[in-house]
């Protein structure tokens, strides 16, 4: 079955540490890829997206992600996290442009001061 | 841009009752999506519209669920004869040519079935 997998359900790290969240998808062919973030008490917000072109994409708040087609991966990174990055992070794939998003289960990230 | 709005934000209902939720998309967006999210899971697709046409409906969606978008603007999602398993956050999102495939999400309606 087509799916999106996120490797970690919970991550705890200290401020200034580096963050990398794994995401793998099982779709063949062209697929749009997204990372969304949900801060406590807020709605889902788009962090970054990949449609085509440069496989290294930069998003808001210092986040970036790398698309590796051979590994069906789209991992999210941030070199130095802040306490305000505490949130739940969701990877999503869109096999048909304009169509539905298939989300992973999410990763809860807690950044300690 | 006022964002996607949803009403109500919270709904508590007894098992067997019908409930209806409303979603108002970003005004220039012609696509509207409904998702459901339960604790510890990512959002799960329910259905989506392009203008007033319902283009796709999840096979997981029971016949008790129905959605409409009569004038291609706001949408309603109705659940008939609610069950405890329907308790979840119901999310609405919209997209349009201006947003380049991106879906913008509303705050959600949290449904609790007692």
């Amino acid at each position: 079955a087509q799916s999106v997998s996120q490797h970690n359900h919970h991550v705890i790290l200290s401020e200034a540490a580096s963050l990398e969240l794994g995401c793998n998808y099982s779709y063949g062919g062209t697929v749009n890829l997204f990372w969304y973030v949900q801060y406590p008490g807020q709605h889902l917000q788009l962090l970054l997206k990949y449609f085509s072109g440069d496989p290294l994409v930069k998003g808001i708040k210092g986040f970036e992600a790398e698309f590796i087609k051979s590994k069906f991966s789209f991992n999210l990174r941030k070199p130095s996290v802040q306490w305000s990055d505490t949130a739940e992070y969701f990877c999503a794939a869109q096999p048909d442009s304009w169509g539905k998003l298939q989300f992973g289960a999410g990763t809860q990230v807690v950044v300690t001061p | 841009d006022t964002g996607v709005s949803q009403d109500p934000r919270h709904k508590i209902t007894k098992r067997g009752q019908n409930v209806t939720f409303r979603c108002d998309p970003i005004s220039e967006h012609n696509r509207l999506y409904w998702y459901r999210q339960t604790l510890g899971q990512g959002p799960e697709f329910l259905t989506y519209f392009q203008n007033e046409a319902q283009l796709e409906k999840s096979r997981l969606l029971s016949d008790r669920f129905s959605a409409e978008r009569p004038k291609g603007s706001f949408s309603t999602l109705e659940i008939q004869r609610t069950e405890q398993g329907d308790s979840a956050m119901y999310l609405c999102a919209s997209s349009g040519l201006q947003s380049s495939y991106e879906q913008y999400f509303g705050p959600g309606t949290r449904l609790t079935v007692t």
Side-chain angles (χ1 to χ4, degrees):
Chain A
Q2 297 170 327
S3 66
V4 176
S5 301
Q6 293 185 238
H7 307 310
N8 308 96
H9 291 294
H10 292 94
V11 172
I12 302 173
L13 59 167
S14 302
E15 277 190 313
S18 63
L19 173 70
E20 180 160 1
L21 302 181
C23 173
N24 286 90
Y25 61 95
S26 62
Y27 297 90
T30 303
V31 62
N32 297 331
L33 295 163
F34 304 84
W35 276 97
Y36 280 85
V37 61
Q38 189 165 28
Y39 298 104
Q42 297 188 26
H43 58 274
L44 281 165
Q45 301 172 40
L46 182 69
L47 263 184
L48 46 78
K49 62 196 177 193
Y50 175 77
F51 299 150
S52 63
D54 188 344
L56 186 62
V57 292
K58 295 190 184 299
I60 61 171
K61 306 188 180 186
F63 285 90
E64 64 179 31
E66 184 176 14
F67 170 62
I68 303 179
K69 188 174 182 179
S70 61
K71 295 184 177 179
F72 295 88
S73 70
F74 188 56
N75 293 351
L76 180 71
R77 295 195 292 254
K78 186 170 184 177
S80 176
V81 295
Q82 301 173 320
W83 176 79
S84 58
D85 292 322
T86 293
E88 190 155 19
Y89 294 80
F90 295 94
C91 180
Q94 186 183 43
D96 300 312
S97 295
W98 303 115
K100 64 190 176 192
L101 295 173
Q102 173 94 39
F103 284 87
T107 299
Q108 181 67 50
V109 173
V110 175
V111 180
T112 60
Chain B
D1 178 359
T2 58
V4 178
S5 61
Q6 293 186 245
D7 184 69
R9 297 289 304 276
H10 303 274
K11 178 71 176 178
I12 300 174
T13 191
K14 293 184 184 300
R15 188 178 55 183
Q17 298 294 305
N18 298 343
V19 294
T20 300
F21 310 141
R22 176 180 169 125
C23 171
D24 287 87
I26 293 171
S27 58
E28 63 268 25
H29 286 179
N30 64 339
R31 289 172 176 83
L32 186 148
Y33 309 79
W34 286 99
Y35 296 85
R36 176 174 61 190
Q37 186 177 18
T38 53
L39 200 61
Q41 298 297 318
E44 175 188 38
F45 170 76
L46 294 178
T47 188
Y48 101 90
F49 294 84
Q50 178 175 316
N51 300 314
E52 63 274 10
Q54 188 173 19
L55 295 190
E56 187 175 353
K57 186 175 176 180
S58 169
R59 286 171 291 177
L60 301 174
L61 207 58
S62 152
D63 289 344
R64 296 183 296 104
F65 287 71
S66 62
E68 293 183 339
R69 194 182 183 200
K71 296 182 180 179
S73 56
F74 73 91
S75 174
T76 57
L77 177 69
E78 181 182 17
I79 309 174
Q80 297 182 326
R81 305 180 302 282
T82 52
E83 301 173 356
Q84 286 190 319
D86 297 331
S87 295
M89 178 74 87
Y90 289 84
L91 300 171
C92 177
S94 69
S95 71
L97 287 173
Q98 302 85 353
S99 68
S100 187
Y101 312 140
E102 297 171 26
Q103 295 182 19
Y104 291 81
F105 283 81
T109 294
R110 181 167 295 284
L111 173 67
T112 303
V113 181
T114 62

